[in-house]
Amino acid sequence: MKMVIGGAYQGKLAYARNTWKDAGEFLDGALCGWEDLKDCAGISHFEAFIRRGLKDGLPVRSLPEYLKKENPDVIIVCREVGCGIVPMDAFEREYRETVGRVCTELAAMSEEVHRVLCGVGTVIKG
Amino acid sequence: MIHIVTGGSGSGKSAFAEEQIVKFSGDRRIYIATMYPFDVESRRRVERHRRMRAGKRFETVECYTHLENLEIPAGADVLLECMSNLTANEMYREDGAGDQTCGAVCRGISALAERAGNLVVVTNEVFSDGIVYDPETERYLEYLGKINQYLAQIADCVTEVVYGIPVCIKGMRR
């Protein structure tokens, strides 16, 4: 498993495609379903996938376990959303914290974690 | 030694900070809790942190304001969590320091640093969501930003925790 993380619009997906050129297709987390995660090379907008799951009441906290079992070589591209003022809205708070907790578990499983800023990646693990 | 640990929401900064403090072999291990449990969610948070600390030999001390008056045993290993709560308490609680918050918090930290054997302070990255807030919240950001800069200045080590991964900002690279 590999992760590419960073703020919005930093070129994370392009960086991931460029770093693992033969990886294959990246799904859009804003659109794809749980079953699709089983055989994709990578997923981008993973934060959007978590957000949709939370809205639909799906067990998103089990995603690390699910991915480890079903697609252990997946490349996860995810926006960092936890570095702002804690929102007043309870759902927004839950969303940010859930992205953090899920990604912390995934990062522990990953052999590489890259953090992208201005399109430039720094390997923070691996 | 003074170690500042920062990170975003759900980043694993607390777990990392605890790991750092249990590495020290001092006789006393003090946890300074700053979050006032005012609703169900905050009580749940406190509970979660208590469970994380269980069995790690921490003595928990609550301190919501006036850190400089807090007495801790000399030479103890101290974990203070976290600056975002303490700053908000000082700014908004009736017994808080109000517009003198920065001075009060920084004095409290240096008093603590002088007395503690080792000090680990958890703070919070809340500065990068690009939202323009109301003046009151902007003031909070300004105060916490200033306090964080002071902390980093007196610290031997500053670490940003990113999804559980320590990224060295200042001090020894691991």
Side-chain angles (χ1 to χ4, degrees):
Chain A
M1 194 178 291
K2 298 176 180 73
M3 284 183 94
V4 176
I5 58 166
Y9 308 106
Q10 298 299 305
K12 298 184 294 296
L13 179 57
Y15 173 89
R17 284 195 167 123
N18 195 37
T19 305
W20 300 285
K21 286 197 176 68
D22 306 322
E25 197 197 348
F26 282 76
L27 298 178
D28 184 345
L31 304 168
C32 68
W34 283 64
E35 286 296 309
D36 303 330
L37 294 181
K38 288 184 176 175
D39 48 26
C40 66
I43 173 173
S44 69
H45 296 297
F46 189 65
E47 77 289 346
F49 189 87
I50 291 176
R51 190 178 177 91
R52 282 194 300 139
L54 276 177
K55 283 228 156 115
D56 298 340
L58 299 172
V60 287
R61 288 278 181 130
S62 65
L63 273 168
E65 214 177 308
Y66 180 79
L67 286 169
K68 188 181 179 183
K69 182 162 167 268
E70 303 292 348
N71 194 352
D73 294 322
V74 70
I75 302 169
I76 297 160
V77 180
C78 188
R79 184 187 295 186
E80 281 182 75
V81 295
C83 291
I85 284 278
V86 177
M88 298 293 280
D89 181 78
F91 175 79
E92 295 297 334
R93 273 201 302 278
E94 192 191 359
Y95 163 61
R96 287 161 36 116
E97 178 156 359
T98 305
V99 171
R101 302 276 173 229
V102 169
C103 283
T104 299
E105 274 187 58
L106 289 167
M109 292 173 185
S110 296
E111 59 265 27
E112 288 176 38
V113 179
H114 300 236
R115 196 183 204 191
V116 176
L117 187 82
C118 307
V120 180
T122 305
V123 178
I124 60 170
K125 178 181 177 182
Chain B
M1 112 113 160
I2 305 173
H3 191 163
I4 309 303
V5 177
T6 188
S9 167
S11 61
K13 56 188 183 298
S14 302
F16 175 81
E18 282 175 21
E19 274 170 35
Q20 301 314 300
I21 207 88
V22 299
K23 280 186 194 162
F24 301 119
S25 51
D27 295 338
R28 306 279 294 268
R29 194 172 285 158
I30 311 285
Y31 179 89
I32 304 177
T34 60
M35 186 164 80
Y36 186 76
F38 60 94
D39 65 1
V40 177
E41 189 177 320
S42 54
R43 278 195 288 275
R44 221 173 50 215
R45 267 170 199 284
V46 168
E47 236 355 275
R48 181 177 166 273
H49 280 247
R50 278 201 186 127
R51 280 199 306 274
M52 279 168 67
R53 291 200 301 279
K56 292 178 183 164
R57 216 165 44 74
F58 277 106
E59 301 167 51
T60 300
V61 182
E62 276 143 19
C63 178
Y64 305 126
T65 52
H66 301 294
L67 180 62
E68 58 192 311
N69 298 338
L70 185 72
E71 288 184 19
I72 58 138
D77 295 326
V78 178
L79 172 54
L80 170 61
E81 180 157 21
C82 67
M83 293 323 287
S84 51
N85 282 321
L86 188 65
T87 302
N89 292 344
E90 289 287 7
M91 285 180 75
Y92 304 123
R93 278 175 69 98
E94 249 177 51
D95 60 346
D99 56 8
Q100 306 296 309
T101 290
C102 289
V105 171
C106 293
R107 276 198 308 279
I109 294 287
S110 38
L112 204 56
E114 247 169 61
R115 202 153 165 78
N118 295 287
L119 176 62
V120 178
V121 180
V122 178
T123 187
N124 211 323
E125 276 314 293
V126 295
F127 305 99
S128 303
D129 56 12
I131 299 171
V132 177
Y133 288 99
D134 58 282
E136 199 45 46
T137 308
E138 288 290 330
R139 196 163 70 101
Y140 170 75
L141 287 171
E142 182 193 339
Y143 284 6
L144 186 59
K146 280 187 178 153
I147 289 165
N148 281 353
Q149 290 174 53
Y150 171 77
L151 292 175
Q153 226 173 58
I154 63 165
D156 303 289
C157 271
V158 181
T159 303
E160 181 190 7
V161 180
V162 184
Y163 297 151
I165 301 161
V167 177
C168 175
I169 307 289
K170 175 181 175 179
M172 265 193 308
R173 265 166 217 284
R174 295 132 41 79

